[in-house]
Amino acid sequence: MARWLNIENDMKTLVFQITGFQEGEENFALCVQFAMSNIKYHRFLSVDSHRVTKSLNGILEKFEIHSQLDKKDCLQRLCDQFLSTPCFEGRDTGKTDTHYSLLMLLLNVGENPTHSTYAGKPQILKAPEVVDDFDWGAYLMEGIETYSTIYADSDSESDFEPLSDEEETVVPVKSKEIEISEKQEVDPSISTITSDASTFYVEEEPDPRESGAAWLTRNVTVQYWCGQNQPEDPDNTDNLKRDWQKYREATDPIYSNQDSITMTEIQLLREVLWILAGVTDSFVFILHGDEFIVRENVFVQHLTDNSLESYLSCFARYGSYVQRLLRFEEESICGSHDLSVTDNNKLTCQTYQAFANAISNFIKSLRRELTQLEKKIIKQEQTMTLAMLHGDLSPWLKKIEVIYSLYVRGILEADWMVNNCQRASHLLSGLFEAVVEYDTLGQNASDVVELLIPLWIQTTKPYIEVIDEWITNGNLVDPRSEFILKRNENVKSLDESFWETAFTIHVPEDSTLPSEIHESQHTVTENSKRSRGGKSVDKSTGIVIVTENSKPNRGGKSVDKSIGSSHWAPEFLEPVILEVVLAGKSMEMIQDLGKLADVCGVKREKSLYTLFLESLQDLLGTRPHDDFVEDPPPDLSMYPEQIDRQMRVKGIHDPLLKINYMNIFHACNVRLHGPIEEEDKDSQMLSVLETERLQPINLVLKQCLYPHITQKYSRVCTQLVQILKEEYNLMGYLAAMRHFFLMEAGDTMFDFYSPIFDKIRLNTHWRDISTVNLILQEALQAHFPEESRRLYVSIEDLPKDRRPINITDCIKLHYKVPWPVDVVISSKCQAIYNQIFTFLLQVKRAKYCLDELRFCDLEKDPALHSHSGTEFSLHLDEDMPREGRIHRMHILRMRLTYFVNSLHNYIMTRILHSTGIEFKQDLEKAKDLDQIIAVHNKYVNTIHERCLLHKMVKLLKQAVMNVLNLILNFQALWDEGIQEISLKTIEGMEIEFSRCILFLSTFLNNVIKRGSFPHLESLAFALVTSTEHLTKGRAHVT
């Protein structure tokens, strides 16, 4: 109560001083009550040390901005000193809540610190007290033996019996040791400190009796590289080399051992580690070019010459491998930034750079292992010999040999190739084949597979990134021309031949390479067949093979042996190379159409390489890597010293300007550091893959890489097809081609060709382009007025030796197809359409001529015509009367009509209609533009072939043309009247028609029996039926 009473009295005084209320007033009592309630019952929150530190840093930065650096330094020093002082809460450490509470109080009390003046007090340094820590007890007791005797607690007399001579022991104990043993407590901070050999090394104190020269002789390495020999120990009896030299000197009188260097095995071990790490300057191993040679005059005391040479030669060979790999790495770096070279094929391709980077990562891991072994050798805590070193390094030596073999197989063997495309494909295919080869060995090569999988994947990264950029954004970015395809700059994006000729495969022009080109074409065709359900689309793959001028073979080397091992494309991409090409071309076309945002969207997707790595990680899993310690990112100071120096020279002392400069360069540092972190992340993902669960590599690709490519291909190509069908009316244009060129719009085309046929029959002038186009426009206005702006006719010249049936061959239809529909309906397709249209027009004309014949025209009255004497004598000599000849003409007309109708029905139903139904079904199933082009080309070529326009059925077409021409001659005779037609003329036409029909029926019958052209069965049946009266006894076609 006394404590609270004192506080209450103080509180009353405080209230009086602040408010001025007198004791006894109501307000005075309320203030005292409120203050006492807060003191007794209120609980305040603990101070926030982070908030105090942030406020303190703000004041320090404010001092720096205002150029009050003295205040800043003094405040920072005092705060650090205060926080580190252990003076509160009974703790022996600083930075307690009390420390931060006092600092917070001072920060809140302080007002406008930047405008106040501060003069620091001079610090008085106290001289440290001299503590006499000399052990006087040990010094005074030096040389005096002390005896310790243990006495028991019992009082029996047996305890006081003197010890016997055997039991009597004297234990000399130094006073210092007794003093330490009597201490019961040890400082816990000292007891937790453990010595670590990796942090410091305690060196043995030299013997004071040993002189300086003797200590140097014993501890400093002999300069064997200057010709000094290791001194021999005279007491050593195990000197095999010395005994061997004495034996050779005794047995060989001319033997001399001059200029020989004797080394220790530890020195040899370190030399071996150095050359394996890539060091070129070595005493034991002499570098000639890129190959190490063992020095001959080096000996070891306990090894014979042959044994030493066998070990050193083995290590020299692997050291040579490392040197060649390092030289390739250096050449890859130097050859990729030569600004004087303009030809991309002469620069190092990115695939080579990625392979060199993978080799560099391997050599770094090898150097880490060699560093650990060298530390182990330096400590000399364990025995290490050349044989033991070879055993410890045998896994790494095997890996070096494997990587060097890949270097020879993928780089050196491709030295004859003239472009980066072949080199990159050869390297990637060689690495893939090596992975497959070692993977088939199973557990016997698991360590090699674990090495090759990351190496191969890292090397494929540039190639996969080129593909990813192409099929994702429509940009074929290939700065080193290493991709198998190259953009043809002569073909514009809006060209109708874009799909076929925009991208080319480069194959060197060499007489030894036709088989390789044929094989590559066959491979593309086979891949397209597999991806198209067995349908060949080799004409529409869009890949055109062009040749480049090749250079002569380097050094006159033959390349015949290397041709078989070269690849036109990376082997691991061959199953999906067609999907890659189609997706890339589709994406570029979508980009030209301005629909890229609709396909890609706003959200940025993961790269194809990242998806590949993540799928690999999900499939194979990861190894436990707790021992893996990620290296902290390097602290790169991007603030240049030149700027600071220039500011001091010009007398500019602006801390704010310096802070802004540092922020700018820090942002640059972050941007530069980003790709490094991404590359390190990819390397880390590859390093922890669990290769023991590795499936066959082809299955891995089918599950991890191919699905991502197929997914992008399906999305892009489906979107392009949808755009063409919905926004550019592709189906409408295809229907228009069938309506007009294939005459499916019968009424419109009848209105077009019937006036022309009438003009030809009346022998009036009709071959005028304006007249024909006017007729076409009038025909279109009735049913297809919207097509009048796209469809027009041109008139071409005809050969002089033409037949009557070929008079309409000069008519050519033209249909204006806009881009990008003209990629499907190209000018080549329109040329084929015109050939079909010409043939159909000939059939239509023959049918129209027979249909337009009138009986009155044939049976004209002879009195209405004037006859010459020759004609009159002809009628007199006629054996058959006029009615008989009319009857014969009627029969011949019916036979010709039956033939023409059979041919017309065959073309319009069996060919155009049924083939059109198949075309529509295949068009609905098409998933990409390439399939649409392939289906359309197949449709046009099928009709072209079945309309007897193929070279293989040239004789059949010739027979049909003879019959059609006969019909036109028959129509001309009919129009002249029966009085102008003799029996001989009628018989001649009948014989010619019968011969053509007999030939056609026989030919078609034989073809159908072989099963070559099943679509001709209906036509053959009709023709055979029409010739039954001429071919009695001939087997009927069933």
Side-chain angles (χ1 to χ4, degrees), residues 11 44 51 55 85 113 133 197 201 309 379 462 484 534 567 609 716 735 747 833 835 843:
M11 192 59 63
F44 296 92
R51 184 177 178 183
S55 301
T85 304
D133 56 351
Y201 175 69
E309 183 181 1
K379 292 179 181 179
I484 60 171
H567 297 270
Y609 183 74
V716 172
D747 49 357
Y833 272 116
Q835 294 179 17
V843 176

CSV table of all heavy atoms in Angstrom, one decimal, residues 11 44 51 55 85 113 133 197 201 309 379 462 484 534 567 609 716 735 747 833 835 843:
chain,number,residue,atom,x,y,z
A,11,MET,N,1.2,11.2,-8.6
A,11,MET,CA,0.3,11.4,-9.7
A,11,MET,C,-0.5,12.7,-9.5
A,11,MET,O,-0.8,13.4,-10.4
A,11,MET,CB,-0.7,10.2,-9.8
A,11,MET,CG,-1.5,10.2,-11.0
A,11,MET,SD,-0.5,10.2,-12.6
A,11,MET,CE,0.3,8.6,-12.3
A,44,PHE,N,0.4,-2.4,-21.8
A,44,PHE,CA,0.9,-1.9,-23.1
A,44,PHE,C,1.5,-2.9,-24.0
A,44,PHE,O,2.1,-3.9,-23.4
A,44,PHE,CB,1.9,-0.7,-22.8
A,44,PHE,CG,1.3,0.4,-22.1
A,44,PHE,CD1,1.4,0.5,-20.7
A,44,PHE,CD2,0.7,1.5,-22.8
A,44,PHE,CE1,0.8,1.6,-20.1
A,44,PHE,CE2,0.1,2.5,-22.2
A,44,PHE,CZ,0.2,2.6,-20.8
A,51,ARG,N,10.1,-2.1,-36.4
A,51,ARG,CA,9.6,-0.8,-36.7
A,51,ARG,C,10.6,0.3,-36.2
A,51,ARG,O,10.8,1.3,-36.9
A,51,ARG,CB,8.3,-0.6,-36.0
A,51,ARG,CG,7.6,0.7,-36.3
A,51,ARG,CD,6.2,0.7,-35.6
A,51,ARG,NE,5.6,2.0,-35.9
A,51,ARG,CZ,4.4,2.4,-35.4
A,51,ARG,NH1,3.7,1.5,-34.6
A,51,ARG,NH2,3.8,3.6,-35.6
A,55,SER,N,12.5,3.0,-38.6
A,55,SER,CA,12.5,4.4,-38.3
A,55,SER,C,13.9,5.0,-38.2
A,55,SER,O,14.2,6.1,-38.7
A,55,SER,CB,11.7,4.7,-37.0
A,55,SER,OG,10.3,4.2,-37.2
A,85,THR,N,25.2,-3.4,-26.0
A,85,THR,CA,25.6,-3.4,-24.6
A,85,THR,C,24.6,-4.2,-23.8
A,85,THR,O,23.4,-3.9,-23.8
A,85,THR,CB,25.6,-1.9,-24.0
A,85,THR,OG1,26.5,-1.1,-24.9
A,85,THR,CG2,26.1,-1.9,-22.6
A,113,PRO,N,15.3,16.7,-36.2
A,113,PRO,CA,16.7,16.5,-35.9
A,113,PRO,C,17.7,17.1,-37.0
A,113,PRO,O,18.8,17.3,-36.7
A,113,PRO,CB,16.8,14.9,-35.9
A,113,PRO,CG,15.6,14.5,-36.7
A,113,PRO,CD,14.6,15.5,-36.5
A,133,ASP,N,48.8,-12.9,-16.3
A,133,ASP,CA,48.3,-14.3,-16.5
A,133,ASP,C,49.5,-15.3,-16.5
A,133,ASP,O,49.3,-16.4,-17.0
A,133,ASP,CB,47.5,-14.3,-17.8
A,133,ASP,CG,48.4,-13.9,-19.0
A,133,ASP,OD1,49.5,-13.4,-18.8
A,133,ASP,OD2,47.9,-14.0,-20.2
A,197,ALA,N,38.6,-28.8,-40.0
A,197,ALA,CA,39.8,-28.8,-40.9
A,197,ALA,C,39.6,-27.9,-42.1
A,197,ALA,O,40.5,-27.5,-42.8
A,197,ALA,CB,40.2,-30.2,-41.3
A,201,TYR,N,43.7,-24.7,-40.3
A,201,TYR,CA,44.7,-25.8,-40.2
A,201,TYR,C,45.7,-25.4,-39.2
A,201,TYR,O,46.4,-24.4,-39.3
A,201,TYR,CB,45.3,-26.1,-41.5
A,201,TYR,CG,46.3,-27.2,-41.5
A,201,TYR,CD1,46.0,-28.5,-41.2
A,201,TYR,CD2,47.7,-26.8,-41.7
A,201,TYR,CE1,47.0,-29.5,-41.2
A,201,TYR,CE2,48.7,-27.8,-41.7
A,201,TYR,CZ,48.3,-29.1,-41.5
A,201,TYR,OH,49.3,-30.1,-41.4
A,309,GLU,N,55.5,-45.3,-66.6
A,309,GLU,CA,55.1,-44.9,-67.9
A,309,GLU,C,53.6,-45.3,-68.2
A,309,GLU,O,52.9,-44.6,-68.8
A,309,GLU,CB,56.0,-45.4,-68.9
A,309,GLU,CG,55.7,-44.9,-70.3
A,309,GLU,CD,56.7,-45.5,-71.4
A,309,GLU,OE1,57.6,-46.3,-71.0
A,309,GLU,OE2,56.5,-45.2,-72.6
A,379,LYS,N,46.8,-32.7,-47.4
A,379,LYS,CA,46.8,-33.1,-46.0
A,379,LYS,C,47.7,-34.3,-45.6
A,379,LYS,O,48.2,-34.3,-44.5
A,379,LYS,CB,45.4,-33.3,-45.5
A,379,LYS,CG,44.5,-32.1,-45.6
A,379,LYS,CD,43.1,-32.5,-45.2
A,379,LYS,CE,42.1,-31.3,-45.2
A,379,LYS,NZ,40.8,-31.6,-44.8
A,462,PRO,N,18.7,-24.9,-77.9
A,462,PRO,CA,18.5,-23.8,-79.0
A,462,PRO,C,17.6,-24.3,-80.1
A,462,PRO,O,16.8,-23.5,-80.6
A,462,PRO,CB,20.0,-23.7,-79.5
A,462,PRO,CG,20.8,-24.1,-78.4
A,462,PRO,CD,20.1,-25.2,-77.7
A,484,ILE,N,16.4,-26.9,-89.9
A,484,ILE,CA,16.3,-27.6,-91.2
A,484,ILE,C,15.6,-26.8,-92.2
A,484,ILE,O,15.8,-27.0,-93.4
A,484,ILE,CB,15.7,-29.0,-91.0
A,484,ILE,CG1,14.2,-28.8,-90.5
A,484,ILE,CG2,16.5,-29.9,-90.1
A,484,ILE,CD1,13.5,-30.1,-90.5
A,534,GLY,N,-2.5,-42.9,-93.3
A,534,GLY,CA,-2.2,-43.7,-94.5
A,534,GLY,C,-2.4,-43.0,-95.8
A,534,GLY,O,-2.2,-43.6,-96.9
A,567,HIS,N,22.4,-36.7,-91.1
A,567,HIS,CA,20.9,-36.7,-91.0
A,567,HIS,C,20.4,-35.4,-91.6
A,567,HIS,O,20.9,-34.3,-91.4
A,567,HIS,CB,20.5,-36.8,-89.5
A,567,HIS,CG,20.9,-38.1,-88.9
A,567,HIS,ND1,20.1,-39.3,-88.9
A,567,HIS,CD2,22.1,-38.5,-88.2
A,567,HIS,CE1,20.8,-40.2,-88.3
A,567,HIS,NE2,21.9,-39.8,-87.9
A,609,TYR,N,10.7,-25.7,-74.0
A,609,TYR,CA,11.8,-26.4,-73.3
A,609,TYR,C,11.5,-26.5,-71.8
A,609,TYR,O,11.8,-27.6,-71.3
A,609,TYR,CB,13.1,-25.5,-73.5
A,609,TYR,CG,14.3,-26.1,-72.9
A,609,TYR,CD1,14.9,-27.2,-73.5
A,609,TYR,CD2,14.8,-25.6,-71.7
A,609,TYR,CE1,16.1,-27.7,-72.9
A,609,TYR,CE2,16.0,-26.1,-71.2
A,609,TYR,CZ,16.6,-27.2,-71.8
A,609,TYR,OH,17.7,-27.7,-71.2
A,716,VAL,N,-3.2,-24.5,-83.1
A,716,VAL,CA,-3.0,-23.5,-84.2
A,716,VAL,C,-3.7,-23.9,-85.5
A,716,VAL,O,-4.3,-23.0,-86.1
A,716,VAL,CB,-1.4,-23.4,-84.3
A,716,VAL,CG1,-1.2,-22.5,-85.5
A,716,VAL,CG2,-0.8,-22.8,-83.1
A,735,ALA,N,-17.3,-24.5,-103.4
A,735,ALA,CA,-18.5,-24.8,-104.1
A,735,ALA,C,-18.7,-24.1,-105.4
A,735,ALA,O,-19.2,-24.6,-106.4
A,735,ALA,CB,-19.7,-24.5,-103.1
A,747,ASP,N,-28.2,-25.4,-114.8
A,747,ASP,CA,-29.0,-24.4,-115.5
A,747,ASP,C,-28.2,-23.2,-115.9
A,747,ASP,O,-28.4,-22.6,-117.0
A,747,ASP,CB,-30.2,-24.0,-114.6
A,747,ASP,CG,-29.8,-23.7,-113.2
A,747,ASP,OD1,-28.5,-23.9,-112.9
A,747,ASP,OD2,-30.6,-23.3,-112.4
A,833,TYR,N,-8.6,-27.5,-113.3
A,833,TYR,CA,-10.1,-27.3,-113.4
A,833,TYR,C,-10.4,-26.9,-114.9
A,833,TYR,O,-11.5,-27.4,-115.4
A,833,TYR,CB,-10.5,-26.2,-112.5
A,833,TYR,CG,-10.9,-26.7,-111.1
A,833,TYR,CD1,-10.2,-26.2,-110.0
A,833,TYR,CD2,-12.0,-27.5,-110.9
A,833,TYR,CE1,-10.5,-26.6,-108.7
A,833,TYR,CE2,-12.3,-27.9,-109.6
A,833,TYR,CZ,-11.6,-27.5,-108.5
A,833,TYR,OH,-11.9,-27.9,-107.3
A,835,GLN,N,-8.9,-27.8,-117.6
A,835,GLN,CA,-8.8,-29.0,-118.5
A,835,GLN,C,-10.0,-29.8,-118.4
A,835,GLN,O,-10.6,-30.4,-119.4
A,835,GLN,CB,-7.6,-29.8,-118.1
A,835,GLN,CG,-6.2,-29.1,-118.4
A,835,GLN,CD,-5.0,-30.0,-118.0
A,835,GLN,OE1,-5.2,-31.2,-117.8
A,835,GLN,NE2,-3.9,-29.3,-117.9
A,843,VAL,N,-18.1,-32.8,-124.2
A,843,VAL,CA,-19.2,-33.8,-124.0
A,843,VAL,C,-20.6,-33.1,-124.1
A,843,VAL,O,-21.5,-33.6,-124.7
A,843,VAL,CB,-19.0,-34.5,-122.7
A,843,VAL,CG1,-20.2,-35.5,-122.5
A,843,VAL,CG2,-17.7,-35.3,-122.7
